[in-house]
Amino acid sequence: MSWSKDDPGERDAPRSYHHGNLREALIRAALELIARKGTAGFTFAEAARFAGVSPAAPYRHFRDRDELMASVALRGFEQFAAALARAWDDGRPDEFVALDRLGKAYLEFARAQPAFYSAMFEAGVPVGADPALREASERAFAVLRVAADKVCAAMPATARPPALMVALHIWAMAHGIASLFGRGDGAQRALPMSPAELLEADMLVYLRGLGVNAARP
């Protein structure tokens, strides 16, 4: 899904508000403004204007701009967690194939949903301050944690690292590659290979370093 204007030549023009779902209109306005200006590039009043409502109207649903941004991040984490869970697919047909799919799904979300990705990871939203947001972000990480548990279980027990550490390493690798090379908003760096190929190579080196290959059938 793309959060760009219907008319690319009409910069920052407000939309007309017709459909009655003000909360949804404001979230969509915030996504489009993030895509154009970044997470810090617009005000609460500007989001209202972009949605086609008065500056006072957003206060019916959001305390301030931070609460609006938290709602955008929440929506993003919900979609992100669902995408990761689909990719992992309970580790079928085996944990290594599923882990490869999981990494690709992480990169694809950053590429296809850069506005959500920015709101989730770059807006400075305090995840712990909102129970719903914290729960959604934990659901996304839980998929990585389950994958790490499966990978570690395939290793010799005497050389098995903590699964939480492995999950954090996998997250850091996927997030770093997505943020640097896999963005869909023009902020990515040039790379002489695809981000998915780079992540696959990194994961192969990492897993070999942990001795996973010796344990894998």
Side-chain angles (χ1 to χ4, degrees), residues 133-183:
L133 179 56
R134 182 177 62 251
E135 181 183 344
S137 66
E138 288 175 352
R139 282 200 307 272
F141 180 70
V143 182
L144 298 179
R145 176 60 193 268
V146 169
D149 286 340
K150 292 281 190 179
V151 168
C152 289
M155 299 174 59
T158 55
R160 192 173 294 164
L164 177 57
M165 182 189 76
V166 173
L168 292 171
H169 286 170
I170 292 171
W171 184 17
M173 280 189 283
H175 188 76
I177 291 172
S179 297
L180 288 171
F181 307 113
R183 300 287 291 271

Side-chain angles (χ1 to χ4, degrees), residues 73-161:
L74 170 61
R75 180 80 56 87
F77 271 115
E78 289 172 342
Q79 295 186 19
F80 187 50
L84 295 183
R86 285 194 301 270
W88 174 243
D89 191 26
D90 290 329
R92 292 187 284 259
D94 67 60
E95 60 270 21
F96 299 98
V97 172
L99 181 63
D100 181 63
R101 285 197 311 265
L102 183 58
K104 289 175 179 175
Y106 199 115
L107 298 181
E108 175 58 19
F109 187 88
R111 185 201 66 78
Q113 302 287 2
F116 273 130
Y117 193 80
S118 294
M120 292 156 58
F121 296 114
E122 299 165 1
V125 175
V127 174
D130 184 320
L133 179 56
R134 182 177 62 251
E135 181 183 344
S137 66
E138 288 175 352
R139 282 200 307 272
F141 180 70
V143 182
L144 298 179
R145 176 60 193 268
V146 169
D149 286 340
K150 292 281 190 179
V151 168
C152 289
M155 299 174 59
T158 55
R160 192 173 294 164

